[in-house]
Amino acid sequence: MSPLSKIFRIFAAFLIFLILSSCTENNSQGNYGLVIHGGAGSIDKETMPEEMALKYKNKLAEAVNHGYKMLENGAAAVDVVVEVINILEDSPLFNAGRGAVFTSEGTNELDASIMNGADLNAGAVGGVRHIKNPISLAREVMVNSDHVFLTGAGAEKFASEQGFEFVDSSYFYTERSWNSYLKVKAEAENKTEKKYGTVGCCVLDKSGNLAAGTSTGGMTYKKFGRIGDSPVIGAGTYANNKTCAVSCTGHGEYYIRSVFAYDISAMMEYSGKSVNEAVDIEINRKLSSMGGSGGVIAIDSHGNIASDFNTPGMFRAYRRNGESAVVKLFSGE
Ligand code: ASP
């Protein structure tokens, strides 16, 4: 072999090496995906009628596939969170938006929050009564106000200034939520029903940005303007590009007291835990030992997805790049 062709061969091999290594790097950087939940609680395979389970599965699949299509087309994580949660809020199946549960006074007070992991910006609303899609208002607070958290009448005044769609309170009437209200009302000593249906979404987009959002009607028969964890950044929702995006569902008081969502991110940032390890510790050690119940979903900056709950079930679905959607309802699935 002539020295010239030897040099040429070495050069060609080097070029191929460069191309291959840049492909591997792009693949790992280009991961994307999302994970969603539709609440945790007494979701039992034995007692849930099959056609009801199918309705939940179909709606979760619709939402997760919609988000996935957006991600494929290069949408930003925050936009995906909002559109996916809008789909779940518009469905009467979940305790968010249309299907929100009733307060002790027979009204509906909705909470939602969103966080952008790229700049740690966040927006939240609590106790709104006439907003069709509270997650969209939470995004508006994040993007178009100097604040993070607006509540009640003030939040609705802000919404009207931003040209938001208002709905009559009758929009939130569903037979299911009303019956659940009547049931809890009758059980005077047990004021809060352990049945949840909050919705949440955590996204990693193609640019490596993370975002999380959560939307809820709160807990049936809640009183005194009670607000749970869902609109509280760090408790029910958290996102940080350095670590992960998290959305929670469950008995909110425990999630607030344990600063649940942020704790998962902090374990990853400061103790080098994986998203799975951090979720496991938070649910199975911390929440359970405090006596709390519920679940959580999370996605990390590499696209690893984690979810766990200490209730009989949690509505959940996820989809990662190149994979098909996975939808699950019960424990042990
Ligand atoms: N975490 C919500 C709250 O406490 C309820 C739920 O997730 O079902 O308001």
Side-chain angles (χ1 to χ4, degrees):
M1 194 189 303
S2 76
L4 206 65
S5 70
K6 207 171 176 184
I7 290 173
F8 177 74
R9 280 186 175 206
I10 292 171
F11 182 64
F14 183 60
L15 255 185
I16 290 169
F17 168 75
L18 270 188
I19 290 168
L20 282 179
S21 60
S22 90
C23 281
T24 327
E25 198 175 311
N26 280 344
N27 275 343
S28 72
Q29 285 181 346
N31 277 344
Y32 56 93
L34 75 161
V35 53
I36 65 175
H37 72 73
S42 40
I43 301 157
D44 200 341
K45 203 172 192 166
E46 312 308 315
T47 53
M48 179 176 283
E50 244 173 59
E51 78 272 15
M52 191 55 130
L54 196 65
K55 276 188 188 168
Y56 277 106
K57 281 189 169 169
N58 288 342
K59 192 46 84 175
L60 289 166
E62 177 193 331
V64 86
N65 285 327
H66 180 84
Y68 186 81
K69 281 262 135 55
M70 290 180 75
L71 286 172
E72 257 188 334
N73 294 331
V78 165
D79 296 333
V80 175
V81 165
V82 173
E83 283 200 24
V84 168
I85 291 186
N86 282 167
I87 291 174
L88 302 172
E89 284 176 333
D90 290 345
S91 161
L93 290 173
F94 303 97
N95 171 21
R98 174 97 170 83
V101 296
F102 287 87
T103 67
S104 63
E105 285 162 14
T107 57
N108 309 94
E109 293 177 358
L110 292 81
D111 309 327
S113 66
I114 188 163
M115 185 160 187
N116 185 351
D119 55 7
L120 305 186
N121 201 0
V125 293
V128 294
R129 294 180 168 202
H130 304 97
I131 305 298
K132 185 169 174 272
N133 294 111
I135 194 71
S136 303
L137 186 56
R139 196 244 309 256
E140 200 68 17
V141 173
M142 172 168 81
V143 175
N144 283 325
S145 85
D146 296 331
H147 310 293
V148 169
F149 197 173
L150 301 179
T151 61
E156 295 204 341
K157 187 157 185 254
F158 171 74
S160 112
E161 282 177 13
Q162 301 298 315
F164 257 71
E165 182 181 355
F166 277 59
V167 288
D168 187 79
S169 43
S170 60
Y171 171 78
F172 300 111
Y173 175 87
T174 62
E175 212 179 307
R176 238 172 105 238
S177 303
W178 185 249
N179 286 342
S180 140
Y181 164 73
L182 294 178
K183 195 173 147 221
V184 179
K185 193 170 185 226
E187 296 162 2
E189 75 289 357
N190 179 18
K191 301 267 196 282
T192 49
E193 199 192 30
K194 302 266 182 295
K195 184 173 135 235
Y196 312 110
T198 295
V199 303
C201 177
C202 301
V203 175
L204 171 68
D205 69 21
K206 275 185 173 171
S207 313
N209 289 318
L210 288 164
T214 312
S215 182
T216 189
M219 291 177 83
T220 303
Y221 214 76
K222 62 186 180 180
K223 277 183 161 181
F224 310 125
R226 178 264 186 195
I227 289 180
D229 61 308
S230 307
V232 178
I233 296 300
T237 304
Y238 194 75
N240 183 340
N241 274 10
K242 278 190 198 164
T243 56
C244 62
V246 184
S247 171
C248 305
T249 176
H251 197 143
E253 280 68 11
Y254 292 91
Y255 284 76
I256 295 175
R257 288 164 54 208
S258 58
V259 200
F260 196 101
Y262 175 72
D263 213 30
I264 289 174
S265 169
M267 275 191 264
M268 294 176 68
E269 186 171 1
Y270 304 122
S271 327
K273 296 270 186 270
S274 72
V275 68
N276 266 297
E277 287 168 337
V279 158
D280 176 46
I281 292 171
E282 201 63 25
I283 286 279
N284 298 311
R285 287 202 222 154
K286 204 162 169 183
L287 184 71
S288 295
S289 67
M290 286 171 83
S293 61
V296 62
I297 54 168
I299 185 167
D300 74 9
S301 51
H302 307 289
N304 298 307
I305 284 170
S307 69
D308 204 356
F309 48 94
N310 64 2
T311 48
M314 178 169 79
F315 299 123
R316 58 209 189 275
Y318 62 87
R319 190 164 176 191
R320 266 187 296 238
N321 51 305
E323 298 175 8
S324 42
V326 177
V327 182
K328 296 179 180 180
L329 309 188
F330 309 108
S331 122
E333 278 186 306

